[in-house]
Amino acid sequence: MRWAFVGRRVVEPIAAAPVDWAFHTPRAARVELGPDLKEDLQKLKGCRTGEAKLTKGFNLAARFIIHTVGPKYKSRYRTAAESSLYSCYRNVLQLAKEQSMSSVGFCVINSAKRGYPLEDATHIALRTVRRFLEIHGDTIEKVVFAVTELEEATYQKLLPLYFPRSLKEESRSLPYLPADIGNAEGEPVVPERQIRISEKPGAPEDNQEEEDEGLRDDLSFIGSHAFARMEGDIDKQRKLILQGQLSEAALQKQHQRNYNRWLCQARSEDLSDIASLKALYQTGVDNCGRTVMVVVGRNIPVTLIDMDKALLYFIHVMDHIAVKEYVLVYFHTLTSEYNHLDSDFLKKLYDVVDVKYKRNLKAVYFVHPTFRSKVSTWFFTTFSVSGLKDKIHHVDSLHQLFSAISPEQIDFPPFVLEYDARENGPYYTPYPPSPDL
């Protein structure tokens, strides 16, 4: 199977060739329809979001046109939007297969007008096509992604993650694949919504010989499974917490319950205003293969934003990252008094997050610290939190940072590079010089 990538500038010459193209026609599209196509569309009796319906190509350079409708995007209904967008691509490909098409052309099904983040939509598009071709690749010879100039850079960036052209490109792309790539067909999966069925709940999973022992099995397991557990009196537990009389196990359960409430709110809240700050993002991996998360202090207008929403956004982004070992790179570069995170907020964040955040955080690289920030960090890690002091490393120059993280693995804000070059001299660039230089 071959794949092709084209921008708007070259769509017309390619479309002039007689191929089996599949086009997306949004519900609100304003296009001039030929009379035959218009008549066929009226027979379809509409098309629901996520569905795909077929008409002939008529005078176009295609045997068929496949019509589908992408979802509107709202962050609080993100899971539903992801599932609908997946259905669009999957149903188009399924129709193409059923009609024995050898080539399929996709434009970007969900546009910015419907509010869908371009990069998130592109991940769904590419992984759905990839998964489909893994199973039915023998029936389709070519897939073409036709995009505009606005979308081209994102497709160029993400295509190698799902369609690497060499083993070297594949190994280089692996760290950049998102943690959630759906199921075997690329469909989005929400773990907490999956039905978990256990055979003989309450009994240990042992070999067949022990199963034959019947009534001689140890019955101590009965009552330990989810259906047999009771949470107890929540009000009484809260009272014991306030009196300092609750056991360590009960405290951990209460903390987990509290974190789950924050996580649930983070997944339902509209956090697009916090995301637009680009103050927290995932980049590559460090020299030990651990995920690198970047925090840009200068991009956090502490006095202008709702810090509770900032905490929700941190949880929303980090929940699936923190399940494995990770490191934080905090750029303190050129921060002002309006960007300094209050110690009370940091303490609240540290107290709210799940234990996996603390256990799997292996290092915090504090880049371009000032004397004041070093003193504040010392006080915070000495008197407010425990177990964090040994993980913090103050880094005065990017050269020092590169001993732990390769420069190719970090997406730097431009002002950080400019500041470091001005203060510490030019640094090594991972990109080869232009042949014109």
Side-chain angles (χ1 to χ4, degrees), residues 328-373:
L328 282 173
V329 176
Y330 170 66
F331 289 116
H332 191 65
T333 316
L334 297 178
T335 57
S336 67
E337 59 182 313
Y338 304 107
N339 308 121
H340 289 169
L341 292 173
D342 186 82
S343 59
D344 290 338
F345 169 78
L346 294 174
K347 180 67 165 63
K348 181 179 181 181
L349 185 151
Y350 193 81
D351 290 341
V352 165
V353 297
D354 192 27
V355 66
K356 64 188 178 185
Y357 287 74
K358 307 163 189 177
R359 180 180 64 246
N360 292 328
L361 174 60
K362 298 304 176 183
V364 178
Y365 298 100
F366 201 116
V367 182
H368 298 145
T370 60
F371 175 76
R372 174 187 170 184
S373 64

mmCIF file of all heavy atoms in Angstrom, residues 328-373:
data_model
loop_
_atom_site.group_PDB
_atom_site.id
_atom_site.type_symbol
_atom_site.label_atom_id
_atom_site.label_comp_id
_atom_site.label_asym_id
_atom_site.label_seq_id
_atom_site.Cartn_x
_atom_site.Cartn_y
_atom_site.Cartn_z
ATOM 1 N N LEU A 328 10.303 16.694 34.542
ATOM 2 C CA LEU A 328 9.790 18.020 34.246
ATOM 3 C C LEU A 328 10.944 18.963 33.940
ATOM 4 O O LEU A 328 11.960 18.949 34.639
ATOM 5 C CB LEU A 328 8.995 18.577 35.433
ATOM 6 C CG LEU A 328 7.574 18.063 35.656
ATOM 7 C CD1 LEU A 328 7.031 18.612 36.970
ATOM 8 C CD2 LEU A 328 6.665 18.468 34.512
ATOM 9 N N VAL A 329 10.778 19.759 32.884
ATOM 10 C CA VAL A 329 11.719 20.838 32.584
ATOM 11 C C VAL A 329 10.962 22.146 32.757
ATOM 12 O O VAL A 329 10.009 22.417 32.016
ATOM 13 C CB VAL A 329 12.282 20.724 31.153
ATOM 14 C CG1 VAL A 329 13.185 21.930 30.839
ATOM 15 C CG2 VAL A 329 13.066 19.436 30.995
ATOM 16 N N TYR A 330 11.354 22.925 33.760
ATOM 17 C CA TYR A 330 10.683 24.190 34.027
ATOM 18 C C TYR A 330 11.575 25.337 33.559
ATOM 19 O O TYR A 330 12.673 25.541 34.083
ATOM 20 C CB TYR A 330 10.386 24.334 35.512
ATOM 21 C CG TYR A 330 9.915 25.730 35.900
ATOM 22 C CD1 TYR A 330 8.697 26.216 35.446
ATOM 23 C CD2 TYR A 330 10.705 26.559 36.693
ATOM 24 C CE1 TYR A 330 8.264 27.494 35.778
ATOM 25 C CE2 TYR A 330 10.288 27.840 37.036
ATOM 26 C CZ TYR A 330 9.072 28.293 36.574
ATOM 27 O OH TYR A 330 8.654 29.557 36.889
ATOM 28 N N PHE A 331 11.107 26.084 32.551
ATOM 29 C CA PHE A 331 11.847 27.248 32.056
ATOM 30 C C PHE A 331 11.424 28.474 32.861
ATOM 31 O O PHE A 331 10.328 29.006 32.682
ATOM 32 C CB PHE A 331 11.567 27.471 30.566
ATOM 33 C CG PHE A 331 12.193 26.432 29.678
ATOM 34 C CD1 PHE A 331 11.400 25.573 28.921
ATOM 35 C CD2 PHE A 331 13.565 26.298 29.602
ATOM 36 C CE1 PHE A 331 11.966 24.617 28.107
ATOM 37 C CE2 PHE A 331 14.146 25.333 28.794
ATOM 38 C CZ PHE A 331 13.352 24.494 28.042
ATOM 39 N N HIS A 332 12.331 28.899 33.753
ATOM 40 C CA HIS A 332 12.084 30.100 34.551
ATOM 41 C C HIS A 332 12.539 31.357 33.807
ATOM 42 O O HIS A 332 12.445 32.464 34.336
ATOM 43 C CB HIS A 332 12.835 29.969 35.885
ATOM 44 C CG HIS A 332 12.473 31.003 36.897
ATOM 45 N ND1 HIS A 332 11.222 31.086 37.458
ATOM 46 C CD2 HIS A 332 13.202 32.022 37.441
ATOM 47 C CE1 HIS A 332 11.192 32.091 38.317
ATOM 48 N NE2 HIS A 332 12.372 32.685 38.331
ATOM 49 N N THR A 333 12.967 31.155 32.592
ATOM 50 C CA THR A 333 13.568 32.214 31.777
ATOM 51 C C THR A 333 12.665 33.436 31.642
ATOM 52 O O THR A 333 11.505 33.326 31.238
ATOM 53 C CB THR A 333 13.870 31.657 30.366
ATOM 54 O OG1 THR A 333 14.456 30.367 30.487
ATOM 55 C CG2 THR A 333 14.802 32.590 29.612
ATOM 56 N N LEU A 334 13.211 34.605 32.011
ATOM 57 C CA LEU A 334 12.548 35.902 31.800
ATOM 58 C C LEU A 334 11.164 35.990 32.446
ATOM 59 O O LEU A 334 10.293 36.710 31.972
ATOM 60 C CB LEU A 334 12.442 36.220 30.300
ATOM 61 C CG LEU A 334 13.773 36.375 29.549
ATOM 62 C CD1 LEU A 334 13.512 36.628 28.071
ATOM 63 C CD2 LEU A 334 14.598 37.512 30.140
ATOM 64 N N THR A 335 10.936 35.232 33.511
ATOM 65 C CA THR A 335 9.667 35.371 34.223
ATOM 66 C C THR A 335 9.692 36.654 35.046
ATOM 67 O O THR A 335 10.745 37.132 35.469
ATOM 68 C CB THR A 335 9.419 34.174 35.161
ATOM 69 O OG1 THR A 335 10.514 34.054 36.065
ATOM 70 C CG2 THR A 335 9.255 32.898 34.383
ATOM 71 N N SER A 336 8.518 37.212 35.282
ATOM 72 C CA SER A 336 8.399 38.418 36.088
ATOM 73 C C SER A 336 7.560 38.098 37.314
ATOM 74 O O SER A 336 7.162 36.940 37.535
ATOM 75 C CB SER A 336 7.728 39.526 35.276
ATOM 76 O OG SER A 336 6.376 39.182 35.000
ATOM 77 N N GLU A 337 7.270 39.109 38.120
ATOM 78 C CA GLU A 337 6.467 38.890 39.315
ATOM 79 C C GLU A 337 5.058 38.419 38.979
ATOM 80 O O GLU A 337 4.363 37.837 39.812
ATOM 81 C CB GLU A 337 6.398 40.184 40.127
ATOM 82 C CG GLU A 337 5.802 41.366 39.356
ATOM 83 C CD GLU A 337 5.798 42.633 40.197
ATOM 84 O OE1 GLU A 337 5.380 42.554 41.362
ATOM 85 O OE2 GLU A 337 6.225 43.674 39.667
ATOM 86 N N TYR A 338 4.619 38.663 37.736
ATOM 87 C CA TYR A 338 3.283 38.243 37.321
ATOM 88 C C TYR A 338 3.234 36.765 36.918
ATOM 89 O O TYR A 338 2.159 36.236 36.642
ATOM 90 C CB TYR A 338 2.799 39.097 36.154
ATOM 91 C CG TYR A 338 2.808 40.584 36.457
ATOM 92 C CD1 TYR A 338 3.761 41.422 35.891
ATOM 93 C CD2 TYR A 338 1.872 41.139 37.329
ATOM 94 C CE1 TYR A 338 3.782 42.786 36.178
ATOM 95 C CE2 TYR A 338 1.881 42.485 37.614
ATOM 96 C CZ TYR A 338 2.838 43.315 37.040
ATOM 97 O OH TYR A 338 2.862 44.653 37.329
ATOM 98 N N ASN A 339 4.406 36.114 36.861
ATOM 99 C CA ASN A 339 4.464 34.722 36.429
ATOM 100 C C ASN A 339 4.861 33.764 37.549
ATOM 101 O O ASN A 339 4.911 32.559 37.324
ATOM 102 C CB ASN A 339 5.470 34.552 35.275
ATOM 103 C CG ASN A 339 5.243 35.515 34.144
ATOM 104 O OD1 ASN A 339 6.123 36.299 33.807
ATOM 105 N ND2 ASN A 339 4.065 35.487 33.550
ATOM 106 N N HIS A 340 5.159 34.270 38.736
ATOM 107 C CA HIS A 340 5.640 33.417 39.813
ATOM 108 C C HIS A 340 4.485 32.627 40.425
ATOM 109 O O HIS A 340 3.506 33.215 40.903
ATOM 110 C CB HIS A 340 6.330 34.254 40.893
ATOM 111 C CG HIS A 340 7.649 34.813 40.443
ATOM 112 N ND1 HIS A 340 8.340 35.764 41.153
ATOM 113 C CD2 HIS A 340 8.404 34.551 39.354
ATOM 114 C CE1 HIS A 340 9.454 36.079 40.527
ATOM 115 N NE2 HIS A 340 9.510 35.347 39.422
ATOM 116 N N LEU A 341 4.611 31.311 40.413
ATOM 117 C CA LEU A 341 3.583 30.458 41.001
ATOM 118 C C LEU A 341 3.659 30.544 42.523
ATOM 119 O O LEU A 341 4.716 30.354 43.118
ATOM 120 C CB LEU A 341 3.781 29.014 40.546
ATOM 121 C CG LEU A 341 3.529 28.749 39.058
ATOM 122 C CD1 LEU A 341 3.934 27.325 38.698
ATOM 123 C CD2 LEU A 341 2.066 28.970 38.714
ATOM 124 N N ASP A 342 2.538 30.840 43.137
ATOM 125 C CA ASP A 342 2.467 30.983 44.582
ATOM 126 C C ASP A 342 2.736 29.638 45.256
ATOM 127 O O ASP A 342 2.296 28.582 44.780
ATOM 128 C CB ASP A 342 1.078 31.499 44.964
ATOM 129 C CG ASP A 342 0.986 31.814 46.441
ATOM 130 O OD1 ASP A 342 1.414 32.917 46.838
ATOM 131 O OD2 ASP A 342 0.499 30.946 47.180
ATOM 132 N N SER A 343 3.446 29.671 46.382
ATOM 133 C CA SER A 343 3.767 28.426 47.088
ATOM 134 C C SER A 343 2.499 27.721 47.578
ATOM 135 O O SER A 343 2.457 26.488 47.653
ATOM 136 C CB SER A 343 4.700 28.708 48.260
ATOM 137 O OG SER A 343 4.107 29.620 49.170
ATOM 138 N N ASP A 344 1.458 28.502 47.906
ATOM 139 C CA ASP A 344 0.193 27.881 48.331
ATOM 140 C C ASP A 344 -0.435 27.079 47.196
ATOM 141 O O ASP A 344 -0.990 25.994 47.409
ATOM 142 C CB ASP A 344 -0.789 28.955 48.793
ATOM 143 C CG ASP A 344 -0.370 29.608 50.100
ATOM 144 O OD1 ASP A 344 0.414 28.974 50.835
ATOM 145 O OD2 ASP A 344 -0.810 30.740 50.374
ATOM 146 N N PHE A 345 -0.335 27.609 45.952
ATOM 147 C CA PHE A 345 -0.867 26.877 44.801
ATOM 148 C C PHE A 345 -0.066 25.594 44.575
ATOM 149 O O PHE A 345 -0.642 24.516 44.326
ATOM 150 C CB PHE A 345 -0.803 27.749 43.548
ATOM 151 C CG PHE A 345 -1.076 27.001 42.268
ATOM 152 C CD1 PHE A 345 -2.363 26.668 41.904
ATOM 153 C CD2 PHE A 345 -0.023 26.601 41.448
ATOM 154 C CE1 PHE A 345 -2.617 25.964 40.733
ATOM 155 C CE2 PHE A 345 -0.265 25.894 40.277
ATOM 156 C CZ PHE A 345 -1.563 25.580 39.921
ATOM 157 N N LEU A 346 1.263 25.689 44.653
ATOM 158 C CA LEU A 346 2.109 24.508 44.455
ATOM 159 C C LEU A 346 1.837 23.452 45.523
ATOM 160 O O LEU A 346 1.821 22.255 45.234
ATOM 161 C CB LEU A 346 3.578 24.913 44.458
ATOM 162 C CG LEU A 346 4.033 25.801 43.296
ATOM 163 C CD1 LEU A 346 5.475 26.261 43.499
ATOM 164 C CD2 LEU A 346 3.908 25.064 41.966
ATOM 165 N N LYS A 347 1.631 23.903 46.754
ATOM 166 C CA LYS A 347 1.320 22.960 47.833
ATOM 167 C C LYS A 347 -0.027 22.289 47.583
ATOM 168 O O LYS A 347 -0.179 21.064 47.771
ATOM 169 C CB LYS A 347 1.277 23.716 49.167
ATOM 170 C CG LYS A 347 0.966 22.830 50.372
ATOM 171 C CD LYS A 347 2.095 21.843 50.634
ATOM 172 C CE LYS A 347 1.966 21.214 52.019
ATOM 173 N NZ LYS A 347 0.752 20.421 52.198
ATOM 174 N N LYS A 348 -1.009 23.057 47.124
ATOM 175 C CA LYS A 348 -2.322 22.491 46.818
ATOM 176 C C LYS A 348 -2.210 21.470 45.691
ATOM 177 O O LYS A 348 -2.797 20.383 45.761
ATOM 178 C CB LYS A 348 -3.287 23.604 46.421
ATOM 179 C CG LYS A 348 -4.690 23.129 46.097
ATOM 180 C CD LYS A 348 -5.605 24.298 45.744
ATOM 181 C CE LYS A 348 -7.023 23.834 45.441
ATOM 182 N NZ LYS A 348 -7.915 24.966 45.086
ATOM 183 N N LEU A 349 -1.454 21.813 44.651
ATOM 184 C CA LEU A 349 -1.258 20.893 43.533
ATOM 185 C C LEU A 349 -0.615 19.600 44.018
ATOM 186 O O LEU A 349 -1.043 18.495 43.668
ATOM 187 C CB LEU A 349 -0.400 21.557 42.458
ATOM 188 C CG LEU A 349 -0.177 20.800 41.149
ATOM 189 C CD1 LEU A 349 0.028 21.787 39.994
ATOM 190 C CD2 LEU A 349 1.023 19.875 41.210
ATOM 191 N N TYR A 350 0.419 19.729 44.855
ATOM 192 C CA TYR A 350 1.137 18.554 45.356
ATOM 193 C C TYR A 350 0.232 17.687 46.217
ATOM 194 O O TYR A 350 0.332 16.461 46.206
ATOM 195 C CB TYR A 350 2.359 19.008 46.148
ATOM 196 C CG TYR A 350 3.351 17.911 46.444
ATOM 197 C CD1 TYR A 350 4.277 17.497 45.482
ATOM 198 C CD2 TYR A 350 3.372 17.276 47.688
ATOM 199 C CE1 TYR A 350 5.188 16.483 45.752
ATOM 200 C CE2 TYR A 350 4.272 16.266 47.965
ATOM 201 C CZ TYR A 350 5.183 15.873 46.992
ATOM 202 O OH TYR A 350 6.080 14.871 47.268
ATOM 203 N N ASP A 351 -0.673 18.328 46.975
ATOM 204 C CA ASP A 351 -1.573 17.574 47.844
ATOM 205 C C ASP A 351 -2.706 16.907 47.069
ATOM 206 O O ASP A 351 -3.189 15.846 47.462
ATOM 207 C CB ASP A 351 -2.173 18.506 48.906
ATOM 208 C CG ASP A 351 -1.149 18.947 49.939
ATOM 209 O OD1 ASP A 351 -0.110 18.268 50.053
ATOM 210 O OD2 ASP A 351 -1.377 19.970 50.604
ATOM 211 N N VAL A 352 -3.140 17.526 45.948
ATOM 212 C CA VAL A 352 -4.286 17.009 45.195
ATOM 213 C C VAL A 352 -3.909 15.826 44.318
ATOM 214 O O VAL A 352 -4.659 14.848 44.229
ATOM 215 C CB VAL A 352 -4.907 18.132 44.334
ATOM 216 C CG1 VAL A 352 -5.844 17.554 43.281
ATOM 217 C CG2 VAL A 352 -5.660 19.119 45.218
ATOM 218 N N VAL A 353 -2.747 15.881 43.657
ATOM 219 C CA VAL A 353 -2.429 14.881 42.640
ATOM 220 C C VAL A 353 -2.271 13.492 43.234
ATOM 221 O O VAL A 353 -1.964 13.332 44.419
ATOM 222 C CB VAL A 353 -1.155 15.261 41.855
ATOM 223 C CG1 VAL A 353 -1.360 16.543 41.090
ATOM 224 C CG2 VAL A 353 0.049 15.370 42.787
ATOM 225 N N ASP A 354 -2.467 12.504 42.394
ATOM 226 C CA ASP A 354 -2.395 11.109 42.781
ATOM 227 C C ASP A 354 -0.966 10.730 43.153
ATOM 228 O O ASP A 354 -0.003 11.381 42.752
ATOM 229 C CB ASP A 354 -2.898 10.255 41.607
ATOM 230 C CG ASP A 354 -3.140 8.825 42.017
ATOM 231 O OD1 ASP A 354 -3.425 8.591 43.203
ATOM 232 O OD2 ASP A 354 -3.036 7.933 41.163
ATOM 233 N N VAL A 355 -0.835 9.646 43.887
ATOM 234 C CA VAL A 355 0.485 9.205 44.344
ATOM 235 C C VAL A 355 1.407 8.848 43.175
ATOM 236 O O VAL A 355 2.632 8.959 43.274
ATOM 237 C CB VAL A 355 0.335 8.003 45.310
ATOM 238 C CG1 VAL A 355 -0.235 6.782 44.565
ATOM 239 C CG2 VAL A 355 1.659 7.657 45.955
ATOM 240 N N LYS A 356 0.821 8.471 42.020
ATOM 241 C CA LYS A 356 1.656 8.092 40.869
ATOM 242 C C LYS A 356 2.465 9.284 40.367
ATOM 243 O O LYS A 356 3.570 9.106 39.836
ATOM 244 C CB LYS A 356 0.784 7.539 39.743
ATOM 245 C CG LYS A 356 -0.186 8.552 39.149
ATOM 246 C CD LYS A 356 -1.149 7.909 38.177
ATOM 247 C CE LYS A 356 -2.151 8.936 37.639
ATOM 248 N NZ LYS A 356 -3.176 8.311 36.786
ATOM 249 N N TYR A 357 1.941 10.506 40.508
ATOM 250 C CA TYR A 357 2.680 11.693 40.090
ATOM 251 C C TYR A 357 3.999 11.783 40.845
ATOM 252 O O TYR A 357 5.050 12.096 40.268
ATOM 253 C CB TYR A 357 1.869 12.959 40.366
ATOM 254 C CG TYR A 357 0.694 13.197 39.465
ATOM 255 C CD1 TYR A 357 -0.474 12.456 39.587
ATOM 256 C CD2 TYR A 357 0.724 14.191 38.492
ATOM 257 C CE1 TYR A 357 -1.567 12.677 38.770
ATOM 258 C CE2 TYR A 357 -0.370 14.442 37.678
ATOM 259 C CZ TYR A 357 -1.509 13.680 37.824
ATOM 260 O OH TYR A 357 -2.589 13.915 37.016
ATOM 261 N N LYS A 358 3.954 11.571 42.154
ATOM 262 C CA LYS A 358 5.133 11.727 43.005
ATOM 263 C C LYS A 358 6.088 10.552 42.845
ATOM 264 O O LYS A 358 7.309 10.729 42.837
ATOM 265 C CB LYS A 358 4.689 11.863 44.461
ATOM 266 C CG LYS A 358 3.646 12.974 44.655
ATOM 267 C CD LYS A 358 2.908 12.846 45.982
ATOM 268 C CE LYS A 358 1.742 13.811 46.042
ATOM 269 N NZ LYS A 358 0.943 13.693 47.276
ATOM 270 N N ARG A 359 5.514 9.357 42.712
ATOM 271 C CA ARG A 359 6.352 8.171 42.594
ATOM 272 C C ARG A 359 7.119 8.146 41.274
ATOM 273 O O ARG A 359 8.299 7.779 41.232
ATOM 274 C CB ARG A 359 5.479 6.915 42.715
ATOM 275 C CG ARG A 359 6.257 5.608 42.609
ATOM 276 C CD ARG A 359 5.363 4.392 42.732
ATOM 277 N NE ARG A 359 4.402 4.314 41.640
ATOM 278 C CZ ARG A 359 3.092 4.435 41.799
ATOM 279 N NH1 ARG A 359 2.576 4.650 42.990
ATOM 280 N NH2 ARG A 359 2.270 4.340 40.772
ATOM 281 N N ASN A 360 6.469 8.546 40.184
ATOM 282 C CA ASN A 360 7.087 8.431 38.859
ATOM 283 C C ASN A 360 7.820 9.691 38.396
ATOM 284 O O ASN A 360 8.447 9.675 37.343
ATOM 285 C CB ASN A 360 6.016 8.059 37.823
ATOM 286 C CG ASN A 360 5.489 6.647 38.031
ATOM 287 O OD1 ASN A 360 6.228 5.768 38.479
ATOM 288 N ND2 ASN A 360 4.226 6.417 37.730
ATOM 289 N N LEU A 361 7.713 10.782 39.144
ATOM 290 C CA LEU A 361 8.503 11.973 38.822
ATOM 291 C C LEU A 361 9.947 11.723 39.252
ATOM 292 O O LEU A 361 10.242 11.573 40.443
ATOM 293 C CB LEU A 361 7.941 13.197 39.553
ATOM 294 C CG LEU A 361 8.750 14.490 39.426
ATOM 295 C CD1 LEU A 361 8.867 14.932 37.971
ATOM 296 C CD2 LEU A 361 8.163 15.592 40.280
ATOM 297 N N LYS A 362 10.854 11.693 38.290
ATOM 298 C CA LYS A 362 12.243 11.340 38.582
ATOM 299 C C LYS A 362 13.171 12.542 38.651
ATOM 300 O O LYS A 362 14.242 12.458 39.260
ATOM 301 C CB LYS A 362 12.760 10.346 37.530
ATOM 302 C CG LYS A 362 11.990 9.033 37.515
ATOM 303 C CD LYS A 362 12.001 8.387 38.892
ATOM 304 C CE LYS A 362 11.167 7.120 38.946
ATOM 305 N NZ LYS A 362 11.133 6.535 40.294
ATOM 306 N N ALA A 363 12.808 13.658 38.048
ATOM 307 C CA ALA A 363 13.677 14.835 38.097
ATOM 308 C C ALA A 363 12.896 16.069 37.675
ATOM 309 O O ALA A 363 11.973 15.994 36.868
ATOM 310 C CB ALA A 363 14.899 14.660 37.195
ATOM 311 N N VAL A 364 13.283 17.221 38.270
ATOM 312 C CA VAL A 364 12.766 18.518 37.855
ATOM 313 C C VAL A 364 13.961 19.393 37.516
ATOM 314 O O VAL A 364 14.791 19.666 38.382
ATOM 315 C CB VAL A 364 11.922 19.189 38.966
ATOM 316 C CG1 VAL A 364 11.451 20.564 38.492
ATOM 317 C CG2 VAL A 364 10.744 18.323 39.362
ATOM 318 N N TYR A 365 14.064 19.795 36.252
ATOM 319 C CA TYR A 365 15.173 20.638 35.814
ATOM 320 C C TYR A 365 14.697 22.096 35.806
ATOM 321 O O TYR A 365 13.864 22.481 34.986
ATOM 322 C CB TYR A 365 15.666 20.209 34.440
ATOM 323 C CG TYR A 365 16.210 18.792 34.439
ATOM 324 C CD1 TYR A 365 15.438 17.721 33.982
ATOM 325 C CD2 TYR A 365 17.484 18.515 34.919
ATOM 326 C CE1 TYR A 365 15.926 16.416 34.002
ATOM 327 C CE2 TYR A 365 17.988 17.214 34.942
ATOM 328 C CZ TYR A 365 17.199 16.181 34.479
ATOM 329 O OH TYR A 365 17.684 14.898 34.510
ATOM 330 N N PHE A 366 15.238 22.883 36.719
ATOM 331 C CA PHE A 366 14.857 24.270 36.926
ATOM 332 C C PHE A 366 15.822 25.123 36.109
ATOM 333 O O PHE A 366 16.948 25.385 36.534
ATOM 334 C CB PHE A 366 14.937 24.598 38.418
ATOM 335 C CG PHE A 366 14.126 25.778 38.846
ATOM 336 C CD1 PHE A 366 13.066 25.631 39.727
ATOM 337 C CD2 PHE A 366 14.434 27.046 38.390
ATOM 338 C CE1 PHE A 366 12.328 26.720 40.146
ATOM 339 C CE2 PHE A 366 13.704 28.138 38.794
ATOM 340 C CZ PHE A 366 12.647 27.983 39.669
ATOM 341 N N VAL A 367 15.392 25.541 34.903
ATOM 342 C CA VAL A 367 16.290 26.186 33.944
ATOM 343 C C VAL A 367 16.292 27.707 34.140
ATOM 344 O O VAL A 367 15.236 28.325 34.258
ATOM 345 C CB VAL A 367 15.890 25.835 32.498
ATOM 346 C CG1 VAL A 367 16.866 26.460 31.498
ATOM 347 C CG2 VAL A 367 15.847 24.322 32.315
ATOM 348 N N HIS A 368 17.490 28.279 34.147
ATOM 349 C CA HIS A 368 17.706 29.726 34.299
ATOM 350 C C HIS A 368 17.093 30.259 35.596
ATOM 351 O O HIS A 368 16.302 31.204 35.586
ATOM 352 C CB HIS A 368 17.134 30.496 33.097
ATOM 353 C CG HIS A 368 17.778 30.138 31.800
ATOM 354 N ND1 HIS A 368 17.078 30.099 30.606
ATOM 355 C CD2 HIS A 368 19.048 29.778 31.497
ATOM 356 C CE1 HIS A 368 17.901 29.742 29.627
ATOM 357 N NE2 HIS A 368 19.105 29.545 30.145
ATOM 358 N N PRO A 369 17.440 29.654 36.737
ATOM 359 C CA PRO A 369 16.897 30.146 38.007
ATOM 360 C C PRO A 369 17.546 31.469 38.411
ATOM 361 O O PRO A 369 18.670 31.773 38.012
ATOM 362 C CB PRO A 369 17.269 29.035 38.989
ATOM 363 C CG PRO A 369 18.536 28.468 38.432
ATOM 364 C CD PRO A 369 18.392 28.547 36.926
ATOM 365 N N THR A 370 16.830 32.238 39.203
ATOM 366 C CA THR A 370 17.386 33.439 39.809
ATOM 367 C C THR A 370 17.707 33.131 41.269
ATOM 368 O O THR A 370 17.316 32.074 41.806
ATOM 369 C CB THR A 370 16.390 34.596 39.736
ATOM 370 O OG1 THR A 370 15.193 34.216 40.453
ATOM 371 C CG2 THR A 370 16.029 34.909 38.289
ATOM 372 N N PHE A 371 18.421 34.045 41.928
ATOM 373 C CA PHE A 371 18.742 33.826 43.340
ATOM 374 C C PHE A 371 17.460 33.717 44.159
ATOM 375 O O PHE A 371 17.329 32.854 45.031
ATOM 376 C CB PHE A 371 19.601 34.987 43.857
ATOM 377 C CG PHE A 371 19.890 34.903 45.331
ATOM 378 C CD1 PHE A 371 20.832 34.000 45.813
ATOM 379 C CD2 PHE A 371 19.196 35.696 46.234
ATOM 380 C CE1 PHE A 371 21.086 33.905 47.180
ATOM 381 C CE2 PHE A 371 19.442 35.609 47.597
ATOM 382 C CZ PHE A 371 20.395 34.714 48.076
ATOM 383 N N ARG A 372 16.498 34.576 43.848
ATOM 384 C CA ARG A 372 15.235 34.560 44.581
ATOM 385 C C ARG A 372 14.507 33.236 44.398
ATOM 386 O O ARG A 372 13.968 32.670 45.358
ATOM 387 C CB ARG A 372 14.354 35.714 44.102
ATOM 388 C CG ARG A 372 12.948 35.701 44.697
ATOM 389 C CD ARG A 372 12.066 36.755 44.054
ATOM 390 N NE ARG A 372 10.671 36.603 44.448
ATOM 391 C CZ ARG A 372 9.685 37.334 43.987
ATOM 392 N NH1 ARG A 372 9.930 38.288 43.104
ATOM 393 N NH2 ARG A 372 8.435 37.126 44.390
ATOM 394 N N SER A 373 14.481 32.717 43.151
ATOM 395 C CA SER A 373 13.769 31.464 42.903
ATOM 396 C C SER A 373 14.465 30.287 43.583
ATOM 397 O O SER A 373 13.809 29.351 44.042
ATOM 398 C CB SER A 373 13.655 31.211 41.399
ATOM 399 O OG SER A 373 14.926 31.023 40.815
#
